[in-house]
Amino acid sequence: MTAGHHDVSRGWFDRACRVTPGGVNSPVRGFRAVGGTPRFFTSGRGAEVVDVDGNSYIDLVCSWGPMILGHGHPEVRAAVEAAVARGFSFGAPSITEVMLAEEICSRVEPVQQVRLVSSGTEATMSAIRLARGFTGRSVIVKFAGCYHGHSDALLAEAGSGVATFGLPGSAGVTVGAAADTLVLPYNDAAALRRAFAERGEEIAAVITEAAPANMGVVPPIDDFDRVVARTAHEFGALLISDEVMTGFRVSRSGWYGLAGPDGPDTADLFTYGKVIGGGLPVAAFGGRADVMALLAPDGPVYQAGTLSGNPVATACGLATLQNCTDEVYTQLNHVARAIAEMTSAALTAAGVGHRVQRAGNLFSVFFVDADVTDYEQARSQDTAAFARFFHAMLGQGVSLPPSAYEAWFVSAAHDDDALERIAAALPKAAAAAARQED
Ligand SMILES: *Cc1c(COP(=O)(O)O)cnc(C)c1O
């Protein structure tokens, strides 16, 4: 059954709104940018999710990335069930956290050590504290439109929900907390060099999404990644490559694997999340051993977590990564390309100006008439057209991220049947996007 009634979802949303602000536990889930009522999901299998009204959808959210193998992958499920049978949490070292750390380090050469945490927010926040501890400097450079979680220092001109709702930052962040954050336009090497020329001695680190995908997908152009690394290193600052979204999704070594080994232009610290938990809360930061050595209990930079390295969550993440074989990445690339191309073709046929932008198998659709290379351009997109497109897809049983500023996520379980269902929904959705409303 495809998407029809959603009275039961509406009922749960009403209940949710009474006990939770906006009815959701993460803002973008709330449909504010597209209108309407969020669906409450009860189950997922492979590429498909089912809501409380019994409607089924092809899932192009995939929990915002973690469900890279699709829902309910049998081997991941078996690993989680076995872990649950052994115990939920010990607050003491356990085996799967070591194995997950080994798996991450083995995939990314410059990651010599990692510390596991429970969210991407924690990973980037901790990496920044570590970079400040290592360099003895205060200033952090970030790029407009990049999202690095919701810690105070990183919300300035952030992507994801902050972009979706058009916010400059967040209330509740003190001037002091944001004073040491320098925000620069993405893909602008001259602005970066200027900032370093002026304040290079104060800059502890540059943090960047390895390939930005939280303002829609805006890949680095003209070697921008390398320019960032080289400039930071020239001034003794660290580079933090935020691979929370790209990590182990775009290749078996994340964006690092696609960009290739780049010697001294490699990041010093990397952050991970999403895929490495396989749907349970696991994230990590890691990198150079001499930097990581500053972390407590070895060094003076404090960082901790009651549930960090949780045995059930790490078993889920480990099984997910172990099943991310070369065939999985081949399938992800194939599916992403197919959906990107069929979407573009449908929009072209309907006369809708757009750009499909890609970074490996991450892609998003901008309703714009020119390539998007930074946040300012991303914000020029026609979000009303996206909202019409989104609802037409949802109504035909395809669940997209409810924001024009988010990447679309595929899984290895997206098969020909899933592609056919998406293809069947596109013409109507493209026509909806084309329809001018006044
Ligand atoms: C999702 C994301 C984060 C934040 O991770 P959470 O687990 O939601 O805290 C940080 N950085 C990037 C690049 C992300 O995509």
Side-chain angles (χ1 to χ4, degrees), residues 119-122 124 147-149 209 214 242 244-245 274:
S119 72
T121 295
E122 263 184 278
T124 56
Y147 181 68
H148 305 291
E209 284 189 56
N214 280 291
D242 184 353
V244 170
M245 189 176 286
K274 298 193 169 100

Side-chain angles (χ1 to χ4, degrees), residues 47-315:
E48 201 172 79
V49 285
V50 177
D51 72 14
V52 287
D53 291 277
N55 305 303
S56 75
Y57 305 84
I58 298 301
D59 185 13
L60 291 177
V61 181
C62 290
S63 190
W64 306 91
M67 308 315 297
I68 190 168
L69 299 172
H71 295 278
H73 187 281
E75 284 174 50
V76 177
R77 200 172 134 182
V80 171
E81 285 169 357
V84 165
R86 290 191 296 266
F88 298 175
S89 186
F90 307 115
S94 61
I95 291 166
T96 46
E97 56 193 301
V98 182
M99 294 170 71
L100 179 58
E102 288 172 347
E103 180 75 32
I104 294 168
C105 292
S106 75
R107 284 168 173 248
V108 189
E109 203 198 315
V111 177
Q112 298 171 314
Q113 289 205 316
V114 287
R115 169 68 52 87
L116 300 182
V117 293
S118 300
S119 72
T121 295
E122 263 184 278
T124 56
M125 181 184 78
S126 306
I128 279 179
R129 184 182 306 139
L130 181 57
R132 285 172 165 161
F134 183 79
T135 58
R137 301 173 177 179
S138 309
V139 174
I140 299 297
V141 171
K142 83 172 282 290
F143 297 106
C146 284
Y147 181 68
H148 305 291
H150 64 92
S151 69
D152 284 359
L154 295 174
L155 277 176
E157 292 187 53
S160 190
V162 185
T164 300
F165 305 123
L167 308 172
S170 170
V173 175
T174 61
V175 172
D180 286 325
T181 306
L182 204 57
V183 183
L184 301 178
Y186 191 69
N187 271 327
D188 187 340
L192 180 78
R193 287 204 197 90
R194 237 178 357 256
F196 269 93
E198 281 167 21
R199 303 186 67 182
E201 312 290 292
E202 300 168 68
I203 298 171
V206 180
I207 184 166
T208 182
E209 284 189 56
N214 280 291
M215 53 175 142
V217 173
V218 178
I221 50 172
D222 294 339
D223 242 14
F224 185 67
D225 273 356
R226 261 163 235 226
V227 172
V228 172
R230 211 169 297 150
T231 310
H233 291 156
E234 194 182 311
F235 285 86
L238 301 186
L239 173 62
I240 302 168
S241 180
D242 184 353
E243 292 231 33
V244 170
M245 189 176 286
T246 50
F248 315 115
R249 169 163 280 278
V250 299
S251 87
R252 70 178 308 284
S253 313
W255 187 258
Y256 171 82
L258 286 189
D262 36 15
D265 297 337
T266 294
D268 305 280
L269 293 173
F270 295 77
T271 53
Y272 298 108
K274 298 193 169 100
V275 165
I276 68 165
L280 292 186
V282 184
F285 63 102
R288 275 166 54 182
D290 62 327
V291 180
M292 295 299 284
L294 261 67
L295 274 185
D298 277 354
V301 177
Y302 196 71
Q303 188 280 329
T306 301
L307 295 177
S308 292
N310 173 273
V312 178
T314 50

